[in-house]
Amino acid sequence: MKFHDQARIYIKSGAGGAGCQSFRREAFVEFGGPDGGDGGRGGHVYAEAVHGLNTLVDYRYAQHHKAKTGQHGMGRDRTGKAGEDLVLKVPVGTQIFDEDQEFMIADLVEEGQRVMIARGGEGGLGNAHFKSSTNRAPRRTTPGGPAEEMTIWLRLKLIADAGLVGLPNAGKSTFLSAATRARPKIADYPFTTLSPNLGVVYRHGGEFVIADIPGLIEGASEGVGLGTRFLGHVERTRILLHLVDGSSEDIEADFKTIRNELEQYDGGLIEKPTIIGLNKCDLLDDEEIAEKKALLESLSGQEVFVLSAAGQLHLDPVLDVMSYTVLDAKKAELEAKEQEEAEKEAQQRLDEGADSTWSPI
Ligand SMILES: Nc1nc2c(ncn2[C@@H]2O[C@H](COP(=O)(O)OP(=O)(O)OP(=O)(O)O)[C@@H](O)[C@H]2O)c(=O)[nH]1
Ligand SMILES: [Mg+2]
């Protein structure tokens, strides 16, 4: 399923720098001694979940990632510099698997979460380290620790913010390609789209992800057509954009068919904030537009946006309202989460209070 974005990459930490063998030799200094410094530690490789990334596409193009090697130790007791760490920035929600995709190495669910995936080699010890009362001129050093290298899989379960719903041919894929850099297949026959496509909309300094799913037909909620398989995906989106083909003879029936399928499908689809777009307005005259818009508004009891995805007409108001609605939904989720945490904390305090033996006199 395309809702998984994944990338296979090769990573390597830095090897540790070797310890140095060196003796102090200076004119007029009577007692030289070992002064070989330790090697520097090799760089680690970390993965960190960061805000503002939505896909793993960067890693499809850059597949080799290496941290720096530690510097060797040097004479005059100088320690080698540690190799620079490498931090792989990944979207929140990225999971890291081993090469066989069986063992999960990390699950980065929160912004700022960072895990080490390959440890840099320790720095080797210089000969200064081995000086003792019995051995004043040690010739011993140790090499730096080895680098770790491996192939890993990054996997991201993409969660779209907005789902596009509508009958086949309504222009959903066209809308996605007009609003984002996604290039889904578009054609004037039903069921052009066979699996979901995703695109990212950048707007007002933020962004949101749109999912274009195959067209819905009557009975979709029971598995007809491509059915429930894809309704399951929109179940996890925050809002919906319902596109109606303005050139259709019977937009009332078209509109109702989709609303009905959303209602029949369990999973709260019908309660999601839904924006309604009357598409293909380039094919209609003003009178028809006014009439069809009024009809949809009376059926839905809400504002209907008139647009043309193919003609790229009036897309901005639709994208604006989508972006604000997504933001509102996110804010509401955050508040609900904070509320839940506050309640949990309060409950915990209560429980602790009940356990304590302290009582006011
Ligand atoms: N004139 C006009 N044609 C449009 C517009 N939007 C889409 N189309 C055409 O409508 C046809 C269907 O568009 P798609 O984007 O493939 O429709 P879809 O909803 O993704 O269809 P399925 O994937 O089959 O469910 C294509 O021939 C598009 O060029 C529009 O605004 N105006
Ligand atoms: Mg399509």
Side-chain angles (χ1 to χ4, degrees):
M1 190 71 39
K2 288 239 180 71
F3 265 57
H4 272 137
D5 198 10
Q6 58 181 16
R8 181 175 183 267
I9 60 170
Y10 164 87
I11 57 164
K12 187 174 181 184
S13 63
C20 169
Q21 173 173 290
S22 162
F23 292 94
R24 192 168 157 191
R25 289 176 227 273
E26 277 171 61
F28 315 115
V29 177
E30 194 174 349
F31 301 107
D35 68 354
D38 298 341
R41 167 181 75 68
H44 302 312
V45 179
Y46 293 99
E48 183 178 326
V50 298
H51 173 77
L53 282 181
N54 268 311
T55 68
L56 294 169
V57 66
D58 296 344
Y59 291 100
R60 291 223 206 104
Y61 300 107
Q63 291 168 345
H64 286 75
H65 301 269
K66 294 178 184 169
K68 294 266 189 292
T69 305
Q71 202 183 16
H72 295 323
M74 289 158 290
R76 279 189 272 142
D77 288 319
R78 284 171 302 168
T79 301
K81 223 170 52 188
E84 205 177 313
D85 295 336
L86 178 72
V87 182
L88 303 172
K89 298 208 159 74
V90 296
V92 176
T94 300
Q95 295 182 330
I96 303 175
F97 287 86
D98 67 354
E99 189 168 7
D100 306 330
Q101 299 201 55
E102 270 165 20
F103 176 72
M104 197 200 294
I105 299 167
D107 189 5
L108 299 166
V109 290
E110 272 180 40
E111 190 180 325
Q113 196 180 338
R114 183 189 260 218
V115 289
M116 188 191 292
I117 37 185
R119 177 177 289 280
E122 292 300 326
L125 301 175
N127 67 339
H129 225 92
F130 296 98
K131 182 174 159 188
S132 65
S133 52
T134 52
N135 186 355
R136 305 223 159 223
R139 293 186 175 274
R140 212 175 133 201
T141 61
T142 63
E148 279 181 1
E149 57 188 314
M150 60 180 112
T151 297
I152 55 170
W153 282 90
L154 304 177
R155 293 186 75 187
L156 174 64
K157 202 174 198 178
L158 281 170
I159 301 172
D161 298 299
L164 293 183
V165 293
L167 289 177
N169 251 345
K172 301 176 296 298
S173 302
T174 309
F175 181 85
L176 183 78
S177 72
T180 73
R181 275 158 52 187
R183 290 292 167 259
K185 185 170 168 197
I186 295 168
D188 68 349
Y189 53 82
F191 299 113
T192 314
T193 303
L194 297 174
S195 63
N197 298 303
L198 296 180
V200 186
V201 178
Y202 299 93
R203 203 121 196 113
H204 307 304
E207 57 184 51
F208 63 94
V209 180
I210 304 185
D212 161 34
I213 64 161
L216 301 175
I217 52 172
E218 196 177 333
S221 57
E222 286 148 19
V224 179
L226 293 163
T228 36
R229 215 146 56 93
F230 299 116
L231 280 173
H233 285 299
V234 280
E235 192 179 327
R236 302 186 59 190
T237 65
R238 299 185 158 107
I239 69 164
L240 300 178
L241 171 65
H242 177 169
L243 286 182
V244 181
D245 180 347
S247 68
S248 157
E249 291 299 313
D250 193 349
I251 58 168
E252 175 167 352
D254 293 356
F255 178 77
K256 284 184 173 163
T257 302
I258 297 296
R259 292 304 290 171
N260 197 33
E261 291 312 316
L262 295 180
E263 193 166 7
Q264 296 299 316
Y265 182 81
D266 291 333
L269 286 180
I270 197 78
E271 283 107 44
K272 273 191 204 299
T274 302
I275 293 146
I276 301 165
L278 180 63
N279 189 29
K280 307 197 188 181
C281 74
D282 55 312
L283 299 176
L284 308 177
D285 60 31
D286 289 351
E287 205 177 310
E288 284 172 306
I289 290 177
E291 192 190 308
K292 290 186 166 171
K293 177 171 151 75
L295 174 59
L296 287 181
E297 286 183 341
S298 76
L299 287 172
S300 66
Q302 68 183 72
E303 188 184 355
V304 168
F305 293 82
V306 175
L307 71 147
S308 165
Q312 307 233 357
L313 298 172
H314 318 303
L315 296 180
D316 281 335
V318 181
L319 292 171
D320 279 345
V321 73
M322 287 176 84
S323 138
Y324 294 135
T325 316
V326 166
L327 275 181
D328 282 349
K330 277 189 184 168
K331 221 189 290 169
E333 281 164 32
L334 202 69
E335 277 166 15
K337 198 170 148 202
E338 277 169 6
Q339 172 86 13
E340 195 182 307
E341 269 166 21
E343 274 168 20
K344 232 194 268 167
E345 225 170 80
Q347 186 60 43
Q348 216 168 3
R349 243 179 280 137
L350 262 176
D351 292 349
E352 279 168 14
D355 284 346
S356 91
T357 50
W358 180 85
S359 62
I361 301 164

